[in-house]
Structure formats: C-alpha cells, structure tokens
Amino acid sequence: MSELLSITPSPFLSVLVWFLLLTVLLYIARQPAHRLLVSLSRSLRNALRLSARSVAQAERRLAERNREVLLEQGREAAERQIEREFQRVEQAVNDELAQCPALQRELRERITAIEEDYKKSIDVPPEPPLWAQAVDAIAKIPAKNEPMVARVLEDIHTSMVKANDMVVDEFRRSSRERHLLLVKMMPLWRQVISLLQKLDRNVESLRERAQVVDRHMQHYKTLSEDTDRAVRMLSSSSLTQFFISGLVLLIAIGGAMINFNLIARPMQEMVGGNTLLMGFRAADIAALVIIFVEIALGLYLMEALRITRLFPVIAALNDNLRVKMIWVTFFFLFALASIEAGLAYMRELLAQDDAALVRSLLSDEAMVVDSAGRWITTAAQMGMGFILPFALVFVAIPLESFFHSSRTVLGLLGVGLLRALTWLLRLLGNLAWYLGSLLVHVYDLLIFAPLWLERLIKESRRKPEEITAAQTADH
Amino acid sequence: MIRWLRALALGSALILLGACAERGANTQGVYMLIDTSGTYTKELEKAQHIINYVLSQLNPGDSFAVARIDTSSFTEKNIVAKVAFSDQPSRANQEKRLFRDTVDNFVKTARSSAYTDITGGLLQAIEYLNEAGTGRKIILIFSDMQEELKKGYVRDLPLQLDGFEVIALNVTKLRTDNIDPREYLNRLAYWQQRVEAGGGKWRVINDLERLEPILR
C-alpha cells in the first residue's frame, strides 16, 4: 500500500502530490459533495424530528390516557366514599331515628306523669267549716255575762280551736303530700332532659354526616369538572399511596419471610428434605405455596367483606353467597393457621433433635439438654405460626392501593420517558443538521487553495464598482 | 390481577412437570475407606471422629458408607456400615444414630490385617457411589497410603474416577519416610497421579483438628 502511495522517491513530495491531486478532485466534486452532505444532514434531521413528533404525540396520548384513568379512579374512589357515607347515614337513620317514635312515646308518658303530678300538687286552701258563720252569730249574742251563755261560748271556743287544729293538721299533711309529688317530678324532668339531649345528639350526628357527604360531593363535583387542579391533586395522592402501600408491602414481605422460615424446615418432613423442583427445594416451594394460598384466601376474604375491590365477580355476588364465602375462606384460613402452628411446633422439635444429634456426634461428653425455658420459644413460634396467616390477610388492602396507584406511577414514568426521548430525538436532529453544515465547511477548508484561486479569478473579472459594492456588503 | 394469577398457575404447572428429574442431583455420597493394616489400627479413634463429623454434616437424601482396607478390599464384605439417608430429617437423624453405633462397634472389635489393598477399596468405592447415583461423589481414604498387596492380587488397572473427589486423610509418615522423605512424597505423588489420570480430584488433609474442608 505504502509503495502504491509513494509515487516519488521523496515521501514529502509524494504527500504533496497526493494532496494536490485530492484537492483538485475535491474541488471538482465540491457542488455534488455539498449537496450530498446537506441532503444527508437534512434527511437525518427530518427523520429524527418526525420521530420526535411521533413520540411527542404518543406522550400526549399517554398523558391524556393517564389523565382519564386518574380522573376515573378518583371519581370511582369518591363514589365509593359517598356510597359508604350514604350507607352510614342510612344506618344512622335506621338505628337512631327509628328510635324516635319510642322516644316520643316515652317523652309523652313522662310529660303526662309530670302533668298529673302537677295537678295533684296544686295548693287548695282548706275551707273553713260551714258552721263557723253560725258560731259567729251566736258569738254576737249580747248576754255575755250569762254563765249559761259563757259556758256555751267556752264550749264553742274549745270546739273551734280543736277544729282549727284539725284543719291546720290536714293542711300540713296535704302540703307534705304535694311536696312529695313535686320531689317525685324531679327525676321525670331529668329523664325528659336526657331524652331531649339524646335526640339532639342524634340530630347532630346526622348533621355531621350530611356535612361529610356534602364535602365528598363537592370533591366529586371538582373531579367531574376535569380540572388540572383535580388531576394534580389525584396524582399527588396516587404517588403518596404508591409509596405508602409499597412500604407496607415490604413489611408484609418481611412477615411472609418469617412465616416461610417457620414452616420451610418442618415441610421437609412432609415432602422430603432433598428433592428439587426446578432447582429449588420442594419443601421451600411447598412452604411458599402455603403462604401464597394464605395471601390468596386473605384477598378473597377482604373482597367478600367488601373492603377491597380487586375482583368484580366477588363484589357482584349476592349477600347470602358472599357471607358463605366469608365463612368458607375464614375456615380455610383458620385451618391453615392451625397447620402452621403445628409446623412451628414440629420445627422446634426437629431443631432440638438436630442439636442433640450433633452434640452427641461431635462431643464425648454426656448429653445434657437444658430444657428450662424451651416452652417460651416453642409457644412464641406456635403463636407466630398461628397469627401470621391472619396478619397476611391484611396484605390485600395495601396490595389494592399498590396496583391502583402503580397504574398512575407507571403512566407518569412513561410520560417522563417519552418526553426525554422526544428531547433526545430533537437534539440528535439538530446535531445532525449542524454536523452537516460543519462538514460542508470542513470540506471547503480542505480545498481552501483552489477556492481562494477561484475567488481571485472571479474578482479580477468583475468591474471595480462591483468589487467596492461587494466589499461594502461584506462590511 | 387475573393475568398475574394465571401466570402463577402456569408456573406451578411447569414446576410440577419438571419435578422428578432433579431428585438426587444435589445429594452427596461419601465412601470412607479405613486402613486396618498393621499398626494403623491404633488410629481408628481418629477415623471414628471423622466419621462422626461427616455424619453431622450430611443431609437427608445423602449416602454414606464406611469400609475397611485389608488384604482384599474389593468386596462388599468389607463394608462396615452403609446408609442412604431418608428424605425425612427426623428419620435421617435416627439413621445417623444407628450408623454411629455400628461404627462404634467396629472400632471396638477391629483387627489388623497383614496386607493393604487400597486399590481394591477404591474400586469398591467407585462401584458403590456410582450405584448410589448421588450428585457429588467423595471418597475418603484414612490410610498412610502405603499399598501392600498379597501375592497374586492384580491391582495395576486404571481407575475410573471421573466426577469423583478423593481425599487422603491422616497420611502418617512411616519410619522409612523419616529416613528418606522422598518416599513419602513419591507415595503421595503416585496416588495423585493415579487419581487424576482417572479423571478425579485429589486432596490431602492431615490436620484433623480442622475437618471443614472435607465436605466443602
């Protein structure tokens, strides 16, 4: 190759000749080469810009879709909340206002009793005896110095005093009775006040619920208006839900791992300790399957209880079937929890057996097993084995939130990625365009000598006025 | 969610389909040869210690056999104890206890033999471990590795040790080795060459205080 390039004995001369040859060739091919470079860069830029536009459209569509999904989810959640609130209001009306007739009847009875007591307690002054006027007439008889009259008057006086005492006694007695009646009225008044307060509380509770419903309705109305504020609010809420539910799911995974460790070892007794399935121990897979079944049962239970809404089929079941499903899933969960408690107990026994065997194999000393306090770990393991399946039931709640919010989060991520891709494509398009221009200039730089000559020749052919005009234009 | 559950069901089905093929692939088989020739019978307590250690390390599903090296070792009669442990851990523990008792009885009643047929023992070990079909095959040789064959015994045949690990344990130095250490080194080199020529891996462990490398 070097021999071919060395066209003269002197390398410098060879390079110079080649340079001149290439310069001439490049000068001849200048126009087509420029067109090629410009056309290449332009087509590259157009292709990239077209791609960027498509990606931007996809991003817009995805953003719109995200917005629709977000608003739909928000509306659905608001509907659920309103539905729940209405159910609560209905329950409150059924529970509390249903007592109103009874309360009213009770109030009427109390008021009647108070009225009767009141009537009984009216103070009626004792009437003077009817013969008191006759006595008064006799008392006005003038012959007072007559002993006969005096004795009669004395007798009358004594009778009068006696009658007076009797009347006073009677008055006092009736007054006491009336006072007693009034004292009896006090608890009735208190009962009436208490009943009225209860009625007031019921009405107040209903009023508060109505306010909550109003608030939810307002929220629902905002969502229905498809405003940007509503979308931002829902996005923020979704992200919060995503991270919180993710955190709770991590905790649940921790719980599931503890559960796995509790039952994996004793499962070897059932399915063998050294059998592999797809590279994993059969006992480990069996333990995992049990945990997954528990989680699945938990999902069904939560669905049947209408706490979550992952399976529309379960939510659409009639109430009788749903209640049956609740009991069936609870029964299976209870059975699995009991099995796990048994496995946890077996695990402890196996661990003790292993420890005893290793000790007897590796040490010459007589085997002494300190069993004091062993029951605590055994009981703790059994307790955990029983409780953890029920605890895993509640995974359904964060799982539902996680799935729902992950749709939004993934959508936001997708939009972000598409936006970044659009920016990158535009950048590359522009770079291609400027690279084309740069290459054109580099090309001209390589053939600066013939270009300079061309310019000189052209200028020499032009008239002096044209040159001056061109120079002025250059400046 | 339903799609996810379907994938899980499909995965479970695939797992069940491929279930039986891998049984035994992760098991290990250990065959221990114990030299009972001459004065080496005095070392049997050490061998017992190693056997107990190996027993403590083996898992359910593993296989273990102990055989003595004497005048003619290529025979099942030389196997002192052998067991393929059950898959159930509790039953495997019971089997380990029985195995230990058998070995204890052997150690108490072992008599020294006039000759040392190590090659015969190795052939027997290869046969046993191949039949056991374990994933990992280990032959432990508790001996000074000085082979002495009775007249008429033919043992100069190649060993098929592909996939085997052969570990020489407690290779004691003989009186002559002390005079000329080259004899000891040559002896070890000879066995290493024979094992590696047969496709096996060769190791020597003389420090019996640290037995962890045996099943590593």
Side-chain angles (χ1 to χ4, degrees), chain A residues 265 268-269 272-279 285 299 311 350 353-354 356-358 360-362 399 403, chain B residues 1 5 14-15 19 22-23 26-27 52-53 55-56 59-62 87-90 93 96-97 100:
Chain A
R265 174 81 172 86
Q268 293 179 1
E269 285 291 315
N274 228 341
T275 310
L276 292 186
L277 299 176
M278 305 287 283
I285 290 174
L299 287 176
F311 303 102
L350 287 171
D353 189 37
D354 282 354
L357 177 70
V358 169
S360 71
L361 287 171
L362 299 183
L399 197 67
F403 281 141
Chain B
M1 186 68 193
L5 284 173
L14 284 172
I15 285 169
E22 291 185 60
R23 194 184 173 88
N26 63 328
T27 55
N52 284 343
Y53 174 77
L55 275 174
S56 73
N59 296 316
D62 290 346
D87 246 6
Q88 290 180 11
S90 59
N93 283 353
K96 283 179 184 178
R97 287 189 176 96
R100 181 198 57 195

CSV table of all heavy atoms in Angstrom, one decimal, chain A residues 265 268-269 272-279 285 299 311 350 353-354 356-358 360-362 399 403, chain B residues 1 5 14-15 19 22-23 26-27 52-53 55-56 59-62 87-90 93 96-97 100:
chain,number,residue,atom,x,y,z
A,265,ARG,N,-38.6,-25.6,57.2
A,265,ARG,CA,-37.9,-26.7,57.8
A,265,ARG,C,-38.8,-27.9,58.1
A,265,ARG,O,-38.5,-29.1,57.6
A,265,ARG,CB,-37.2,-26.3,59.1
A,265,ARG,CG,-36.5,-27.3,59.9
A,265,ARG,CD,-35.1,-27.6,59.2
A,265,ARG,NE,-34.3,-28.5,60.1
A,265,ARG,CZ,-34.4,-29.8,60.1
A,265,ARG,NH1,-35.3,-30.4,59.3
A,265,ARG,NH2,-33.7,-30.6,60.8
A,268,GLN,N,-40.0,-30.2,55.3
A,268,GLN,CA,-39.1,-31.3,54.8
A,268,GLN,C,-39.6,-32.7,55.2
A,268,GLN,O,-39.4,-33.7,54.6
A,268,GLN,CB,-37.7,-31.0,55.2
A,268,GLN,CG,-37.1,-29.8,54.6
A,268,GLN,CD,-35.7,-29.6,55.1
A,268,GLN,OE1,-35.1,-30.3,55.9
A,268,GLN,NE2,-35.1,-28.5,54.7
A,269,GLU,N,-40.2,-32.7,56.4
A,269,GLU,CA,-40.8,-34.0,56.9
A,269,GLU,C,-41.9,-34.5,56.0
A,269,GLU,O,-42.1,-35.7,55.9
A,269,GLU,CB,-41.3,-33.7,58.3
A,269,GLU,CG,-40.3,-33.6,59.4
A,269,GLU,CD,-39.5,-34.9,59.6
A,269,GLU,OE1,-40.1,-35.9,59.7
A,269,GLU,OE2,-38.3,-34.8,59.7
A,272,GLY,N,-40.0,-34.2,51.8
A,272,GLY,CA,-38.7,-34.6,51.6
A,272,GLY,C,-37.7,-33.4,51.7
A,272,GLY,O,-38.1,-32.3,51.3
A,273,GLY,N,-36.5,-33.7,52.3
A,273,GLY,CA,-35.6,-32.6,52.5
A,273,GLY,C,-34.6,-32.3,51.4
A,273,GLY,O,-33.9,-31.4,51.4
A,274,ASN,N,-34.6,-33.2,50.4
A,274,ASN,CA,-33.6,-33.1,49.4
A,274,ASN,C,-34.1,-33.2,48.0
A,274,ASN,O,-33.3,-33.4,47.0
A,274,ASN,CB,-32.5,-34.1,49.6
A,274,ASN,CG,-31.1,-33.4,49.6
A,274,ASN,OD1,-31.0,-32.4,49.1
A,274,ASN,ND2,-30.1,-34.1,50.1
A,275,THR,N,-35.4,-33.0,47.8
A,275,THR,CA,-36.0,-33.1,46.5
A,275,THR,C,-36.0,-31.7,45.9
A,275,THR,O,-36.4,-30.8,46.5
A,275,THR,CB,-37.4,-33.7,46.6
A,275,THR,OG1,-37.3,-34.9,47.3
A,275,THR,CG2,-37.9,-34.0,45.2
A,276,LEU,N,-35.6,-31.6,44.6
A,276,LEU,CA,-35.5,-30.3,44.0
A,276,LEU,C,-36.6,-30.2,42.9
A,276,LEU,O,-37.0,-31.2,42.2
A,276,LEU,CB,-34.2,-30.1,43.3
A,276,LEU,CG,-33.0,-29.9,44.2
A,276,LEU,CD1,-31.8,-29.6,43.3
A,276,LEU,CD2,-33.2,-28.9,45.2
A,277,LEU,N,-37.2,-29.0,42.8
A,277,LEU,CA,-38.2,-28.7,41.8
A,277,LEU,C,-37.7,-27.5,41.1
A,277,LEU,O,-37.6,-26.4,41.7
A,277,LEU,CB,-39.6,-28.4,42.3
A,277,LEU,CG,-40.3,-29.5,43.1
A,277,LEU,CD1,-41.6,-29.0,43.6
A,277,LEU,CD2,-40.6,-30.7,42.2
A,278,MET,N,-37.3,-27.6,39.8
A,278,MET,CA,-36.8,-26.5,39.1
A,278,MET,C,-35.6,-25.8,39.8
A,278,MET,O,-35.5,-24.6,39.8
A,278,MET,CB,-37.9,-25.5,38.8
A,278,MET,CG,-39.1,-26.1,38.1
A,278,MET,SD,-38.9,-26.5,36.4
A,278,MET,CE,-38.9,-24.9,35.7
A,279,GLY,N,-34.8,-26.6,40.4
A,279,GLY,CA,-33.6,-26.0,41.1
A,279,GLY,C,-33.9,-25.5,42.5
A,279,GLY,O,-33.0,-25.1,43.2
A,285,ILE,N,-40.6,-24.8,48.2
A,285,ILE,CA,-41.7,-24.4,47.3
A,285,ILE,C,-43.1,-24.7,48.0
A,285,ILE,O,-44.0,-23.9,47.9
A,285,ILE,CB,-41.6,-25.2,46.0
A,285,ILE,CG1,-40.4,-24.6,45.2
A,285,ILE,CG2,-42.8,-25.0,45.1
A,285,ILE,CD1,-40.1,-25.4,44.0
A,299,LEU,N,-57.1,-12.3,50.3
A,299,LEU,CA,-57.6,-11.4,49.2
A,299,LEU,C,-59.1,-11.7,49.1
A,299,LEU,O,-59.9,-10.8,49.0
A,299,LEU,CB,-56.9,-11.7,47.9
A,299,LEU,CG,-55.5,-11.2,47.7
A,299,LEU,CD1,-54.9,-11.6,46.4
A,299,LEU,CD2,-55.5,-9.7,47.8
A,311,PHE,N,-61.6,-8.0,42.6
A,311,PHE,CA,-62.4,-9.0,41.8
A,311,PHE,C,-63.9,-8.6,41.7
A,311,PHE,O,-64.6,-8.7,42.7
A,311,PHE,CB,-62.3,-10.4,42.4
A,311,PHE,CG,-60.9,-10.9,42.6
A,311,PHE,CD1,-60.3,-10.9,43.9
A,311,PHE,CD2,-60.2,-11.4,41.6
A,311,PHE,CE1,-59.1,-11.3,44.1
A,311,PHE,CE2,-58.9,-11.9,41.8
A,311,PHE,CZ,-58.3,-11.8,43.0
A,350,LEU,N,-37.7,-30.6,65.8
A,350,LEU,CA,-36.6,-31.0,64.9
A,350,LEU,C,-35.3,-30.3,65.2
A,350,LEU,O,-34.2,-30.9,65.2
A,350,LEU,CB,-37.0,-30.7,63.4
A,350,LEU,CG,-38.1,-31.6,62.8
A,350,LEU,CD1,-38.5,-31.0,61.5
A,350,LEU,CD2,-37.5,-33.0,62.6
A,353,ASP,N,-33.9,-32.0,68.1
A,353,ASP,CA,-33.3,-33.3,67.8
A,353,ASP,C,-32.0,-33.1,67.0
A,353,ASP,O,-31.0,-33.9,67.3
A,353,ASP,CB,-34.3,-34.0,66.8
A,353,ASP,CG,-33.9,-35.5,66.6
A,353,ASP,OD1,-33.4,-36.1,67.5
A,353,ASP,OD2,-34.1,-36.0,65.4
A,354,ASP,N,-31.9,-32.2,66.1
A,354,ASP,CA,-30.7,-31.9,65.4
A,354,ASP,C,-29.6,-31.5,66.3
A,354,ASP,O,-28.4,-32.0,66.2
A,354,ASP,CB,-30.9,-30.8,64.4
A,354,ASP,CG,-31.6,-31.2,63.2
A,354,ASP,OD1,-31.8,-32.5,63.0
A,354,ASP,OD2,-32.0,-30.4,62.3
A,356,ALA,N,-29.3,-32.2,69.5
A,356,ALA,CA,-28.9,-33.3,70.3
A,356,ALA,C,-28.0,-34.3,69.5
A,356,ALA,O,-27.0,-34.7,70.1
A,356,ALA,CB,-30.1,-34.0,70.8
A,357,LEU,N,-28.4,-34.5,68.3
A,357,LEU,CA,-27.6,-35.4,67.4
A,357,LEU,C,-26.2,-34.9,67.2
A,357,LEU,O,-25.2,-35.6,67.4
A,357,LEU,CB,-28.3,-35.6,66.1
A,357,LEU,CG,-27.5,-36.5,65.1
A,357,LEU,CD1,-27.5,-38.0,65.6
A,357,LEU,CD2,-28.1,-36.4,63.7
A,358,VAL,N,-26.1,-33.6,66.8
A,358,VAL,CA,-24.8,-33.0,66.6
A,358,VAL,C,-23.9,-33.0,67.8
A,358,VAL,O,-22.7,-33.3,67.8
A,358,VAL,CB,-25.0,-31.6,66.0
A,358,VAL,CG1,-23.6,-30.8,66.0
A,358,VAL,CG2,-25.6,-31.6,64.6
A,360,SER,N,-24.1,-35.1,70.3
A,360,SER,CA,-23.7,-36.5,70.6
A,360,SER,C,-22.6,-37.0,69.6
A,360,SER,O,-21.8,-37.8,70.0
A,360,SER,CB,-24.9,-37.4,70.6
A,360,SER,OG,-25.3,-37.6,69.2
A,361,LEU,N,-22.6,-36.4,68.4
A,361,LEU,CA,-21.6,-36.9,67.4
A,361,LEU,C,-20.3,-36.2,67.6
A,361,LEU,O,-19.2,-36.8,67.5
A,361,LEU,CB,-22.1,-36.6,66.0
A,361,LEU,CG,-23.2,-37.5,65.5
A,361,LEU,CD1,-23.8,-36.9,64.1
A,361,LEU,CD2,-22.7,-38.9,65.3
A,362,LEU,N,-20.4,-34.9,68.0
A,362,LEU,CA,-19.1,-34.1,68.0
A,362,LEU,C,-18.5,-33.9,69.4
A,362,LEU,O,-17.4,-33.4,69.5
A,362,LEU,CB,-19.4,-32.7,67.4
A,362,LEU,CG,-19.8,-32.7,65.9
A,362,LEU,CD1,-20.0,-31.3,65.4
A,362,LEU,CD2,-18.9,-33.5,65.0
A,399,LEU,N,-52.1,-4.0,48.9
A,399,LEU,CA,-51.9,-4.6,47.5
A,399,LEU,C,-52.9,-3.9,46.5
A,399,LEU,O,-52.4,-3.5,45.4
A,399,LEU,CB,-52.2,-6.1,47.5
A,399,LEU,CG,-51.7,-6.9,46.4
A,399,LEU,CD1,-50.2,-6.9,46.3
A,399,LEU,CD2,-52.2,-8.3,46.4
A,403,PHE,N,-51.6,-1.6,43.4
A,403,PHE,CA,-51.9,-1.9,42.0
A,403,PHE,C,-52.6,-0.6,41.4
A,403,PHE,O,-52.3,-0.3,40.2
A,403,PHE,CB,-52.9,-3.1,41.9
A,403,PHE,CG,-52.2,-4.4,41.9
A,403,PHE,CD1,-52.7,-5.5,42.6
A,403,PHE,CD2,-50.9,-4.6,41.4
A,403,PHE,CE1,-52.1,-6.7,42.7
A,403,PHE,CE2,-50.3,-5.8,41.4
A,403,PHE,CZ,-50.9,-6.8,42.1
B,1,MET,N,-54.6,-8.5,37.6
B,1,MET,CA,-54.6,-9.4,38.7
B,1,MET,C,-54.8,-10.8,38.3
B,1,MET,O,-54.1,-11.8,38.6
B,1,MET,CB,-55.6,-9.0,39.8
B,1,MET,CG,-55.5,-9.8,41.0
B,1,MET,SD,-54.0,-9.4,41.9
B,1,MET,CE,-54.1,-10.7,43.1
B,5,LEU,N,-52.4,-14.1,38.3
B,5,LEU,CA,-52.8,-15.4,38.9
B,5,LEU,C,-52.6,-16.5,37.8
B,5,LEU,O,-52.2,-17.6,38.2
B,5,LEU,CB,-54.2,-15.4,39.4
B,5,LEU,CG,-54.4,-14.6,40.7
B,5,LEU,CD1,-55.8,-14.5,41.0
B,5,LEU,CD2,-53.6,-15.3,41.8
B,14,LEU,N,-45.7,-25.9,35.4
B,14,LEU,CA,-44.4,-26.2,34.8
B,14,LEU,C,-43.4,-26.8,35.9
B,14,LEU,O,-42.7,-27.7,35.6
B,14,LEU,CB,-43.7,-24.9,34.3
B,14,LEU,CG,-44.3,-24.4,32.9
B,14,LEU,CD1,-43.8,-23.1,32.6
B,14,LEU,CD2,-44.0,-25.4,31.8
B,15,ILE,N,-43.5,-26.3,37.1
B,15,ILE,CA,-42.7,-26.8,38.2
B,15,ILE,C,-43.0,-28.2,38.4
B,15,ILE,O,-42.2,-29.1,38.6
B,15,ILE,CB,-42.9,-25.9,39.5
B,15,ILE,CG1,-42.2,-24.6,39.3
B,15,ILE,CG2,-42.4,-26.6,40.7
B,15,ILE,CD1,-42.6,-23.6,40.4
B,19,ALA,N,-40.7,-31.9,38.0
B,19,ALA,CA,-40.4,-32.2,39.3
B,19,ALA,C,-39.4,-33.3,39.6
B,19,ALA,O,-38.3,-33.1,40.2
B,19,ALA,CB,-41.7,-32.5,40.1
B,22,GLU,N,-34.9,-33.9,39.0
B,22,GLU,CA,-33.8,-33.4,39.7
B,22,GLU,C,-33.5,-34.1,41.1
B,22,GLU,O,-32.7,-33.6,41.9
B,22,GLU,CB,-33.9,-31.9,39.9
B,22,GLU,CG,-33.8,-31.2,38.6
B,22,GLU,CD,-33.8,-29.7,38.8
B,22,GLU,OE1,-32.9,-29.2,39.5
B,22,GLU,OE2,-34.7,-29.1,38.3
B,23,ARG,N,-34.3,-35.1,41.4
B,23,ARG,CA,-34.1,-35.8,42.6
B,23,ARG,C,-32.7,-36.4,42.7
B,23,ARG,O,-32.3,-37.1,41.8
B,23,ARG,CB,-35.1,-36.9,42.8
B,23,ARG,CG,-35.2,-37.4,44.2
B,23,ARG,CD,-36.3,-38.5,44.3
B,23,ARG,NE,-36.3,-39.1,45.6
B,23,ARG,CZ,-37.0,-38.6,46.6
B,23,ARG,NH1,-37.8,-37.6,46.4
B,23,ARG,NH2,-37.0,-39.2,47.8
B,26,ASN,N,-28.7,-32.9,44.0
B,26,ASN,CA,-28.0,-32.1,45.0
B,26,ASN,C,-27.6,-32.9,46.2
B,26,ASN,O,-27.2,-32.4,47.2
B,26,ASN,CB,-28.9,-30.9,45.4
B,26,ASN,CG,-30.1,-31.4,46.1
B,26,ASN,OD1,-30.6,-32.5,45.8
B,26,ASN,ND2,-30.6,-30.7,47.1
B,27,THR,N,-27.6,-34.2,46.0
B,27,THR,CA,-27.2,-35.1,47.1
B,27,THR,C,-25.7,-35.4,47.0
B,27,THR,O,-25.1,-35.2,45.9
B,27,THR,CB,-28.0,-36.4,47.1
B,27,THR,OG1,-27.8,-37.0,45.8
B,27,THR,CG2,-29.4,-36.2,47.3
B,52,ASN,N,-17.9,-39.3,62.6
B,52,ASN,CA,-19.0,-38.5,63.3
B,52,ASN,C,-19.1,-37.1,62.7
B,52,ASN,O,-20.2,-36.6,62.6
B,52,ASN,CB,-18.6,-38.4,64.8
B,52,ASN,CG,-18.9,-39.7,65.5
B,52,ASN,OD1,-19.6,-40.6,65.0
B,52,ASN,ND2,-18.3,-39.9,66.7
B,53,TYR,N,-18.0,-36.6,62.4
B,53,TYR,CA,-18.1,-35.2,61.8
B,53,TYR,C,-18.8,-35.3,60.4
B,53,TYR,O,-19.7,-34.5,60.2
B,53,TYR,CB,-16.7,-34.7,61.5
B,53,TYR,CG,-16.7,-33.3,60.8
B,53,TYR,CD1,-17.1,-32.2,61.5
B,53,TYR,CD2,-16.5,-33.3,59.4
B,53,TYR,CE1,-17.2,-31.0,60.8
B,53,TYR,CE2,-16.6,-32.1,58.7
B,53,TYR,CZ,-16.9,-30.9,59.4
B,53,TYR,OH,-17.0,-29.8,58.7
B,55,LEU,N,-21.0,-37.5,59.5
B,55,LEU,CA,-22.4,-37.7,59.8
B,55,LEU,C,-23.1,-36.4,60.2
B,55,LEU,O,-24.3,-36.2,59.7
B,55,LEU,CB,-22.5,-38.7,61.0
B,55,LEU,CG,-22.5,-40.2,60.6
B,55,LEU,CD1,-22.5,-41.0,61.9
B,55,LEU,CD2,-23.6,-40.6,59.8
B,56,SER,N,-22.5,-35.6,60.9
B,56,SER,CA,-23.1,-34.3,61.4
B,56,SER,C,-23.3,-33.4,60.2
B,56,SER,O,-24.2,-32.5,60.2
B,56,SER,CB,-22.3,-33.7,62.5
B,56,SER,OG,-21.2,-33.1,61.9
B,59,ASN,N,-26.8,-34.5,54.8
B,59,ASN,CA,-28.2,-34.0,54.8
B,59,ASN,C,-29.1,-35.2,54.4
B,59,ASN,O,-28.6,-36.2,53.9
B,59,ASN,CB,-28.4,-32.9,53.7
B,59,ASN,CG,-27.6,-31.7,54.1
B,59,ASN,OD1,-27.6,-31.3,55.2
B,59,ASN,ND2,-26.9,-31.1,53.1
B,60,PRO,N,-30.4,-35.1,54.7
B,60,PRO,CA,-31.3,-36.1,54.2
B,60,PRO,C,-31.2,-36.3,52.7
B,60,PRO,O,-31.1,-35.4,52.0
B,60,PRO,CB,-32.7,-35.5,54.6
B,60,PRO,CG,-32.5,-34.5,55.7
B,60,PRO,CD,-31.1,-34.0,55.4
B,61,GLY,N,-31.2,-37.6,52.4
B,61,GLY,CA,-31.1,-37.9,50.9
B,61,GLY,C,-29.6,-38.3,50.5
B,61,GLY,O,-29.4,-38.9,49.5
B,62,ASP,N,-28.7,-38.0,51.4
B,62,ASP,CA,-27.3,-38.3,51.1
B,62,ASP,C,-27.0,-39.8,51.4
B,62,ASP,O,-27.8,-40.4,52.0
B,62,ASP,CB,-26.3,-37.4,52.0
B,62,ASP,CG,-26.4,-35.9,51.6
B,62,ASP,OD1,-26.9,-35.7,50.5
B,62,ASP,OD2,-25.9,-35.1,52.3
B,87,ASP,N,-35.3,-39.1,53.2
B,87,ASP,CA,-35.6,-37.7,52.9
B,87,ASP,C,-36.2,-36.9,54.1
B,87,ASP,O,-36.1,-35.7,54.1
B,87,ASP,CB,-36.6,-37.7,51.7
B,87,ASP,CG,-36.0,-37.1,50.5
B,87,ASP,OD1,-34.8,-36.8,50.5
B,87,ASP,OD2,-36.7,-36.9,49.5
B,88,GLN,N,-36.7,-37.7,55.0
B,88,GLN,CA,-37.3,-37.0,56.2
B,88,GLN,C,-36.2,-36.7,57.2
B,88,GLN,O,-35.5,-37.7,57.6
B,88,GLN,CB,-38.3,-37.9,56.8
B,88,GLN,CG,-39.6,-38.0,56.0
B,88,GLN,CD,-40.6,-38.9,56.7
B,88,GLN,OE1,-40.5,-39.2,57.8
B,88,GLN,NE2,-41.6,-39.2,55.9
B,89,PRO,N,-36.0,-35.5,57.6
B,89,PRO,CA,-34.9,-35.2,58.5
B,89,PRO,C,-34.9,-36.0,59.8
B,89,PRO,O,-33.9,-36.4,60.3
B,89,PRO,CB,-35.2,-33.7,58.8
B,89,PRO,CG,-35.9,-33.2,57.7
B,89,PRO,CD,-36.8,-34.3,57.2
B,90,SER,N,-36.1,-36.2,60.4
B,90,SER,CA,-36.2,-36.9,61.7
B,90,SER,C,-35.7,-38.4,61.5
B,90,SER,O,-35.0,-38.9,62.4
B,90,SER,CB,-37.6,-36.9,62.3
B,90,SER,OG,-38.5,-37.4,61.4
B,93,ASN,N,-32.0,-38.5,61.0
B,93,ASN,CA,-31.3,-38.4,62.3
B,93,ASN,C,-31.2,-39.8,63.0
B,93,ASN,O,-30.2,-40.2,63.6
B,93,ASN,CB,-32.0,-37.4,63.2
B,93,ASN,CG,-31.7,-36.0,62.8
B,93,ASN,OD1,-30.8,-35.8,61.9
B,93,ASN,ND2,-32.4,-35.0,63.4
B,96,LYS,N,-28.7,-41.8,61.4
B,96,LYS,CA,-27.3,-41.4,61.7
B,96,LYS,C,-26.9,-42.0,63.1
B,96,LYS,O,-25.8,-42.4,63.3
B,96,LYS,CB,-27.3,-39.9,61.8
B,96,LYS,CG,-27.2,-39.2,60.4
B,96,LYS,CD,-27.2,-37.7,60.6
B,96,LYS,CE,-27.2,-37.0,59.2
B,96,LYS,NZ,-27.3,-35.6,59.3
B,97,ARG,N,-27.9,-42.1,64.0
B,97,ARG,CA,-27.5,-42.6,65.3
B,97,ARG,C,-27.2,-44.1,65.2
B,97,ARG,O,-26.2,-44.6,65.8
B,97,ARG,CB,-28.7,-42.4,66.2
B,97,ARG,CG,-28.9,-41.0,66.7
B,97,ARG,CD,-30.0,-40.9,67.8
B,97,ARG,NE,-30.0,-39.5,68.2
B,97,ARG,CZ,-30.9,-38.6,67.8
B,97,ARG,NH1,-31.8,-38.9,66.9
B,97,ARG,NH2,-30.9,-37.4,68.3
B,100,ARG,N,-23.8,-44.5,63.6
B,100,ARG,CA,-22.7,-44.2,64.6
B,100,ARG,C,-22.5,-45.4,65.5
B,100,ARG,O,-21.4,-45.8,65.8
B,100,ARG,CB,-23.1,-43.0,65.4
B,100,ARG,CG,-22.1,-42.6,66.5
B,100,ARG,CD,-22.6,-41.7,67.5
B,100,ARG,NE,-23.8,-42.4,68.1
B,100,ARG,CZ,-24.7,-41.7,68.9
B,100,ARG,NH1,-24.6,-40.5,69.1
B,100,ARG,NH2,-25.7,-42.4,69.5
